[in-house]
Every structure is written in structure tokens, then in C-alpha cells.
Amino acid sequence: MDEKITVLKALKKSDRMLKYPAQFIVFMFFLFTGFLMVFSRRSPYLFVYFIASYFTGLILSMLYKSLLINKWRVWTFEQVNDIQELKQAIDSDDFLSEGGDLFSSLEYKSDALKQKLKEINERLKEPTTFADDYTLPNEVAIYKDFPILKILGSIALLFGLMFTLWISKTAGWVIMTAGVAAILLPKKLYYLNGNKPPLFIISEEGITTPRTGLIKWAEVYNASVNAIGSGRSRNYVFVFEYPGGKDTTYLFNMGVRRRYLNHVLYVYRQRHLINKPN
């Protein structure tokens, strides 16, 4: 039997094979629309070209996802021990989550995939063995950050491409090189914390915030990362309840991925449940 991997590793692999290629298709057609604006700026059909190119990329991206999403859903569930954690991670707005009745009806499902998905749903009804992640630190501190270098690098890269094609080859290549360098900087350099205190800390003891102090796991209820709203108005919040109150923190511009935060919450909660006295 193949060795199982952690939920985070399984989702990262599915990202490389499903999420990133789908996003890459949209991005490439977005760049193509930019090239159209440069080379066809005098064409009376420029707007038609732009719309056609954009929606072609969008449709191809959706087609790619619909053809492969169930294959990678099955793969991720087959690769991990703790399918309950995986189900929670997928349900919290992961790329593998169900897209609703309309989008789910467009997803390709062979007879073999249907049978495997049915078996997975049956497994989800049964209790699973918690698989601890010993790579986690003793605590995870969440700061309010602003990825200024990454944003500026992306802008410089985009304008560098435009300048290279339209205004100045020399200036364009200089700006584009600076943009690539900024984007490729180590992730830790994107976020400038200074000496600001963390918004909250998740540790093996519990959850600590400036407003509540330390709330031990025995008193923490319904800790989760949730989506509020939809579309452009969607926000993500970290919520937990405790005796006498509820704490909510918006996760805009945080130096941590929602997926990793859900993983930390799940692991520390399960450790508490295993080690608490009967």
C-alpha cells in the first residue's frame, strides 16, 4: 500500500495539476488581450477582439477544470489518511470544492469516477484515525501584513511587458527584470511586519488574541475560517466562540494561507481531544 501524505501536500499537488494550469490559461489569454490592444489599437474591431479573447480563455479554463476536477478529487482522498480533515479543507472554499448544482452538472464523471466518489462518501460516514503533523511549530502567529513588494513587482512586470512592445525596449526590459526579481524574492520579504503585535496566536495551549487573552482549547468552540459574501464582495474571517463571547478577525492581507490556518486549527484541536482527561 502506498505511503499516505499530509492533507497540505495532497492539496498542493492537486494545485499544480489542476488549479494552476486553469489559472495559467486565463492569465495567458489576458496577456493576449494586452498584445491585441498594442498591435490592433487602430482596428475598429479592437473591443470585439478583447472580449472574444478574454472569454475564450475563461471558457477553456472552465473546460479544463470540469474535465479533470473529479479525477483530482478522487486522487487527494486516496492519498491521505485523515479524510475528515481533507473534507473540511475542501469545503472551506478550496478549488476542489463542489461548485453548486449548475457547475457540478458540467463536471465530467466517468463510471469509474462515480464509483470511487460513492466509496469516498461512504468512508466519510465512518470515523477516521487522526494523523498528526509533527512539522507544525509550537505556535503560529498571524499578523496584519501588506505584500507591497509582490504587488509592486507584479505591476512592474505587467508594465514592463507593455513598454517592451509599445514604448521603449530598453525601459521595458529594465522594468520587467525588476518585476521578475521582486516576484521571485523569498516569501518572508514580501511582508513587512515591523514590531507590530500579532492579531492572534494559535498554539497547543489554545488561541490568544489582544482582546481575549489566552482561551484554552477546552473553552474554544467552532473555530474555523469562513467565507462571507460572494464574488468581489467575498471576505474571509477567522471565527471562534468561547464562554461568554465570540471573536471574529478578517483575514485580508494576512501573511498566511487559509488552507494552512485550517490545518493548524484542525491539528491542535485533535491533539487536545486526544490528550484531554476522560
PDB file of all heavy atoms in Angstrom, residues 54-70:
ATOM      1  N   TYR A  54     -10.763  37.309 -24.090  1.00  0.00           N
ATOM      2  CA  TYR A  54     -10.949  37.129 -22.647  1.00  0.00           C
ATOM      3  C   TYR A  54     -11.884  35.952 -22.362  1.00  0.00           C
ATOM      4  O   TYR A  54     -11.573  35.079 -21.543  1.00  0.00           O
ATOM      5  CB  TYR A  54     -11.503  38.404 -22.033  1.00  0.00           C
ATOM      6  CG  TYR A  54     -11.819  38.270 -20.563  1.00  0.00           C
ATOM      7  CD1 TYR A  54     -10.810  38.325 -19.613  1.00  0.00           C
ATOM      8  CD2 TYR A  54     -13.124  38.072 -20.123  1.00  0.00           C
ATOM      9  CE1 TYR A  54     -11.075  38.190 -18.259  1.00  0.00           C
ATOM     10  CE2 TYR A  54     -13.410  37.930 -18.774  1.00  0.00           C
ATOM     11  CZ  TYR A  54     -12.386  37.997 -17.846  1.00  0.00           C
ATOM     12  OH  TYR A  54     -12.661  37.844 -16.515  1.00  0.00           O
ATOM     13  N   PHE A  55     -13.020  35.911 -23.039  1.00  0.00           N
ATOM     14  CA  PHE A  55     -13.992  34.853 -22.756  1.00  0.00           C
ATOM     15  C   PHE A  55     -13.532  33.500 -23.292  1.00  0.00           C
ATOM     16  O   PHE A  55     -13.912  32.460 -22.745  1.00  0.00           O
ATOM     17  CB  PHE A  55     -15.363  35.228 -23.324  1.00  0.00           C
ATOM     18  CG  PHE A  55     -16.135  36.161 -22.446  1.00  0.00           C
ATOM     19  CD1 PHE A  55     -16.183  37.513 -22.715  1.00  0.00           C
ATOM     20  CD2 PHE A  55     -16.786  35.693 -21.318  1.00  0.00           C
ATOM     21  CE1 PHE A  55     -16.875  38.380 -21.880  1.00  0.00           C
ATOM     22  CE2 PHE A  55     -17.487  36.545 -20.482  1.00  0.00           C
ATOM     23  CZ  PHE A  55     -17.533  37.899 -20.766  1.00  0.00           C
ATOM     24  N   THR A  56     -12.715  33.498 -24.329  1.00  0.00           N
ATOM     25  CA  THR A  56     -12.154  32.231 -24.800  1.00  0.00           C
ATOM     26  C   THR A  56     -11.264  31.621 -23.724  1.00  0.00           C
ATOM     27  O   THR A  56     -11.349  30.412 -23.439  1.00  0.00           O
ATOM     28  CB  THR A  56     -11.333  32.447 -26.086  1.00  0.00           C
ATOM     29  OG1 THR A  56     -12.180  32.953 -27.113  1.00  0.00           O
ATOM     30  CG2 THR A  56     -10.709  31.136 -26.543  1.00  0.00           C
ATOM     31  N   GLY A  57     -10.415  32.446 -23.107  1.00  0.00           N
ATOM     32  CA  GLY A  57      -9.570  31.964 -22.024  1.00  0.00           C
ATOM     33  C   GLY A  57     -10.386  31.475 -20.846  1.00  0.00           C
ATOM     34  O   GLY A  57     -10.082  30.435 -20.244  1.00  0.00           O
ATOM     35  N   LEU A  58     -11.429  32.209 -20.507  1.00  0.00           N
ATOM     36  CA  LEU A  58     -12.280  31.830 -19.377  1.00  0.00           C
ATOM     37  C   LEU A  58     -12.982  30.505 -19.635  1.00  0.00           C
ATOM     38  O   LEU A  58     -13.028  29.627 -18.761  1.00  0.00           O
ATOM     39  CB  LEU A  58     -13.307  32.938 -19.119  1.00  0.00           C
ATOM     40  CG  LEU A  58     -14.042  32.911 -17.786  1.00  0.00           C
ATOM     41  CD1 LEU A  58     -13.066  33.068 -16.630  1.00  0.00           C
ATOM     42  CD2 LEU A  58     -15.103  34.004 -17.747  1.00  0.00           C
ATOM     43  N   ILE A  59     -13.512  30.329 -20.835  1.00  0.00           N
ATOM     44  CA  ILE A  59     -14.230  29.098 -21.170  1.00  0.00           C
ATOM     45  C   ILE A  59     -13.277  27.906 -21.207  1.00  0.00           C
ATOM     46  O   ILE A  59     -13.592  26.818 -20.700  1.00  0.00           O
ATOM     47  CB  ILE A  59     -14.955  29.261 -22.517  1.00  0.00           C
ATOM     48  CG1 ILE A  59     -16.094  30.266 -22.366  1.00  0.00           C
ATOM     49  CG2 ILE A  59     -15.483  27.920 -23.012  1.00  0.00           C
ATOM     50  CD1 ILE A  59     -16.744  30.661 -23.679  1.00  0.00           C
ATOM     51  N   LEU A  60     -12.087  28.091 -21.784  1.00  0.00           N
ATOM     52  CA  LEU A  60     -11.114  26.997 -21.834  1.00  0.00           C
ATOM     53  C   LEU A  60     -10.654  26.604 -20.431  1.00  0.00           C
ATOM     54  O   LEU A  60     -10.449  25.424 -20.146  1.00  0.00           O
ATOM     55  CB  LEU A  60      -9.912  27.401 -22.690  1.00  0.00           C
ATOM     56  CG  LEU A  60     -10.156  27.476 -24.197  1.00  0.00           C
ATOM     57  CD1 LEU A  60      -8.901  27.960 -24.910  1.00  0.00           C
ATOM     58  CD2 LEU A  60     -10.592  26.125 -24.740  1.00  0.00           C
ATOM     59  N   SER A  61     -10.511  27.596 -19.555  1.00  0.00           N
ATOM     60  CA  SER A  61     -10.121  27.308 -18.174  1.00  0.00           C
ATOM     61  C   SER A  61     -11.204  26.497 -17.469  1.00  0.00           C
ATOM     62  O   SER A  61     -10.914  25.516 -16.773  1.00  0.00           O
ATOM     63  CB  SER A  61      -9.868  28.611 -17.416  1.00  0.00           C
ATOM     64  OG  SER A  61      -9.586  28.364 -16.055  1.00  0.00           O
ATOM     65  N   MET A  62     -12.461  26.886 -17.639  1.00  0.00           N
ATOM     66  CA  MET A  62     -13.567  26.157 -17.032  1.00  0.00           C
ATOM     67  C   MET A  62     -13.674  24.749 -17.608  1.00  0.00           C
ATOM     68  O   MET A  62     -13.963  23.792 -16.883  1.00  0.00           O
ATOM     69  CB  MET A  62     -14.875  26.921 -17.252  1.00  0.00           C
ATOM     70  CG  MET A  62     -14.946  28.252 -16.507  1.00  0.00           C
ATOM     71  SD  MET A  62     -16.440  29.201 -16.925  1.00  0.00           S
ATOM     72  CE  MET A  62     -17.716  28.069 -16.385  1.00  0.00           C
ATOM     73  N   LEU A  63     -13.418  24.605 -18.908  1.00  0.00           N
ATOM     74  CA  LEU A  63     -13.466  23.285 -19.540  1.00  0.00           C
ATOM     75  C   LEU A  63     -12.377  22.384 -18.979  1.00  0.00           C
ATOM     76  O   LEU A  63     -12.613  21.206 -18.678  1.00  0.00           O
ATOM     77  CB  LEU A  63     -13.315  23.435 -21.054  1.00  0.00           C
ATOM     78  CG  LEU A  63     -13.317  22.138 -21.869  1.00  0.00           C
ATOM     79  CD1 LEU A  63     -14.651  21.411 -21.719  1.00  0.00           C
ATOM     80  CD2 LEU A  63     -13.035  22.437 -23.347  1.00  0.00           C
ATOM     81  N   TYR A  64     -11.171  22.932 -18.825  1.00  0.00           N
ATOM     82  CA  TYR A  64     -10.059  22.157 -18.261  1.00  0.00           C
ATOM     83  C   TYR A  64     -10.404  21.670 -16.858  1.00  0.00           C
ATOM     84  O   TYR A  64     -10.201  20.496 -16.519  1.00  0.00           O
ATOM     85  CB  TYR A  64      -8.802  23.028 -18.232  1.00  0.00           C
ATOM     86  CG  TYR A  64      -7.596  22.351 -17.623  1.00  0.00           C
ATOM     87  CD1 TYR A  64      -6.757  21.571 -18.402  1.00  0.00           C
ATOM     88  CD2 TYR A  64      -7.305  22.494 -16.270  1.00  0.00           C
ATOM     89  CE1 TYR A  64      -5.649  20.935 -17.854  1.00  0.00           C
ATOM     90  CE2 TYR A  64      -6.202  21.868 -15.708  1.00  0.00           C
ATOM     91  CZ  TYR A  64      -5.377  21.089 -16.511  1.00  0.00           C
ATOM     92  OH  TYR A  64      -4.291  20.464 -15.946  1.00  0.00           O
ATOM     93  N   LYS A  65     -10.941  22.584 -16.045  1.00  0.00           N
ATOM     94  CA  LYS A  65     -11.290  22.217 -14.670  1.00  0.00           C
ATOM     95  C   LYS A  65     -12.400  21.172 -14.653  1.00  0.00           C
ATOM     96  O   LYS A  65     -12.328  20.194 -13.899  1.00  0.00           O
ATOM     97  CB  LYS A  65     -11.732  23.452 -13.895  1.00  0.00           C
ATOM     98  CG  LYS A  65     -12.136  23.157 -12.457  1.00  0.00           C
ATOM     99  CD  LYS A  65     -12.614  24.389 -11.731  1.00  0.00           C
ATOM    100  CE  LYS A  65     -13.070  24.028 -10.309  1.00  0.00           C
ATOM    101  NZ  LYS A  65     -13.598  25.206  -9.577  1.00  0.00           N
ATOM    102  N   SER A  66     -13.428  21.350 -15.472  1.00  0.00           N
ATOM    103  CA  SER A  66     -14.561  20.426 -15.443  1.00  0.00           C
ATOM    104  C   SER A  66     -14.165  19.017 -15.879  1.00  0.00           C
ATOM    105  O   SER A  66     -14.721  18.034 -15.403  1.00  0.00           O
ATOM    106  CB  SER A  66     -15.692  20.951 -16.335  1.00  0.00           C
ATOM    107  OG  SER A  66     -15.303  20.961 -17.695  1.00  0.00           O
ATOM    108  N   LEU A  67     -13.171  18.909 -16.767  1.00  0.00           N
ATOM    109  CA  LEU A  67     -12.743  17.603 -17.242  1.00  0.00           C
ATOM    110  C   LEU A  67     -11.908  16.851 -16.215  1.00  0.00           C
ATOM    111  O   LEU A  67     -11.937  15.617 -16.163  1.00  0.00           O
ATOM    112  CB  LEU A  67     -11.938  17.750 -18.534  1.00  0.00           C
ATOM    113  CG  LEU A  67     -12.722  18.135 -19.795  1.00  0.00           C
ATOM    114  CD1 LEU A  67     -11.767  18.391 -20.951  1.00  0.00           C
ATOM    115  CD2 LEU A  67     -13.727  17.045 -20.148  1.00  0.00           C
ATOM    116  N   LEU A  68     -11.165  17.580 -15.373  1.00  0.00           N
ATOM    117  CA  LEU A  68     -10.187  16.931 -14.502  1.00  0.00           C
ATOM    118  C   LEU A  68     -10.486  17.019 -13.013  1.00  0.00           C
ATOM    119  O   LEU A  68      -9.814  16.355 -12.212  1.00  0.00           O
ATOM    120  CB  LEU A  68      -8.800  17.525 -14.766  1.00  0.00           C
ATOM    121  CG  LEU A  68      -8.210  17.274 -16.151  1.00  0.00           C
ATOM    122  CD1 LEU A  68      -6.858  17.949 -16.277  1.00  0.00           C
ATOM    123  CD2 LEU A  68      -8.081  15.788 -16.426  1.00  0.00           C
ATOM    124  N   ILE A  69     -11.450  17.834 -12.601  1.00  0.00           N
ATOM    125  CA  ILE A  69     -11.624  18.088 -11.171  1.00  0.00           C
ATOM    126  C   ILE A  69     -11.976  16.821 -10.401  1.00  0.00           C
ATOM    127  O   ILE A  69     -11.468  16.590  -9.293  1.00  0.00           O
ATOM    128  CB  ILE A  69     -12.688  19.187 -10.925  1.00  0.00           C
ATOM    129  CG1 ILE A  69     -12.713  19.553  -9.444  1.00  0.00           C
ATOM    130  CG2 ILE A  69     -14.058  18.774 -11.433  1.00  0.00           C
ATOM    131  CD1 ILE A  69     -13.523  20.795  -9.136  1.00  0.00           C
ATOM    132  N   ASN A  70     -12.816  15.961 -10.936  1.00  0.00           N
ATOM    133  CA  ASN A  70     -13.189  14.755 -10.189  1.00  0.00           C
ATOM    134  C   ASN A  70     -12.047  13.752 -10.126  1.00  0.00           C
ATOM    135  O   ASN A  70     -11.915  13.011  -9.142  1.00  0.00           O
ATOM    136  CB  ASN A  70     -14.435  14.117 -10.809  1.00  0.00           C
ATOM    137  CG  ASN A  70     -15.693  14.860 -10.410  1.00  0.00           C
ATOM    138  OD1 ASN A  70     -15.999  14.987  -9.235  1.00  0.00           O
ATOM    139  ND2 ASN A  70     -16.404  15.378 -11.400  1.00  0.00           N
TER     140      ASN A  70
END
